[in-house]
Amino acid sequence: MTRYFNGGVPGLKPGDLVTPHQPAVVDGCPICVARAKGETYRDEQGRVVDPPTGRPDRVYITTDREYARFYASKTWLGDLYVVEPVGELQESTEDPFPTWTCEAARVRSVYSRAVRLTPGQRRTLSTRWGRADMASALRTLAGDR
């Protein structure tokens, strides 16, 4: 059986459902405001920063625990869960890591509460993310030829 993870909303327990929800907005955060409006925020150099989800009506799950841990760490006291999809599973093409969307996800177990990434975990994920983005860009280029 495939093991799926979801990181985010704190305080759920086994049997609870993770459902689609509006992005959290922190006062004074221009990135949060843009995401809540479904817009893409760009920094002073024009780089995209944390674009809005392509499927706000769906829940995202992944087989990559550390990628889910990152999303848990983005939520204040966010938790990391082992989940099972509810409804049709659709592969997502938005992420450089393996992700799927579904109508909801049922919590099977709590993997970690109040997730915070250590500097080492951030460096490791950043390196993996850079490699995954590069591989994705190379696949796109190869497909354009």
Side-chain angles (χ1 to χ4, degrees), residues 19-43:
T19 58
H21 60 278
Q22 293 297 316
V25 177
V26 176
D27 287 340
C29 172
I31 299 166
C32 299
V33 170
R35 287 194 86 224
K37 291 179 182 177
E39 298 171 357
T40 299
Y41 179 83
R42 294 185 180 270
D43 68 11

Side-chain angles (χ1 to χ4, degrees), residues 72-90:
S73 76
K74 287 178 55 173
T75 302
W76 181 253
L77 301 176
D79 295 337
L80 177 60
Y81 304 104
V82 176
V83 298
E84 63 185 57
V86 173
E88 181 187 359
L89 201 58
Q90 296 176 345

Side-chain angles (χ1 to χ4, degrees), residues 9 14 17 21 50 54 65 72 91 119-121 123-124 128 135 137 141:
V9 177
L17 285 179
H21 60 278
D50 199 16
R65 183 186 65 220
E91 188 171 357
Q121 287 171 317
R123 281 190 302 275
T124 299
R128 287 185 60 221
L141 286 174

Side-chain angles (χ1 to χ4, degrees), residues 25-75:
V25 177
V26 176
D27 287 340
C29 172
I31 299 166
C32 299
V33 170
R35 287 194 86 224
K37 291 179 182 177
E39 298 171 357
T40 299
Y41 179 83
R42 294 185 180 270
D43 68 11
E44 297 80 26
Q45 288 77 38
R47 294 177 297 213
V48 170
V49 178
D50 199 16
T53 181
R55 294 297 309 267
D57 61 323
R58 310 270 293 175
V59 170
Y60 286 76
I61 61 176
T62 181
T63 53
D64 191 303
R65 183 186 65 220
E66 297 311 304
Y67 188 52
R69 185 185 307 276
F70 166 74
Y71 278 92
S73 76
K74 287 178 55 173
T75 302

Side-chain angles (χ1 to χ4, degrees), residues 78-136:
D79 295 337
L80 177 60
Y81 304 104
V82 176
V83 298
E84 63 185 57
V86 173
E88 181 187 359
L89 201 58
Q90 296 176 345
E91 188 171 357
S92 171
T93 58
E94 295 175 60
D95 302 298
F97 296 102
T99 56
W100 294 264
T101 68
C102 50
E103 296 167 23
R106 186 167 312 283
V107 175
R108 293 177 51 90
S109 63
V110 178
Y111 193 89
S112 185
R113 295 271 189 209
V115 173
R116 292 291 168 251
L117 297 181
T118 66
Q121 287 171 317
R122 288 186 185 283
R123 281 190 302 275
T124 299
L125 184 58
S126 180
T127 298
R128 287 185 60 221
W129 207 313
R131 288 181 185 149
D133 281 344
M134 181 63 72
S136 178

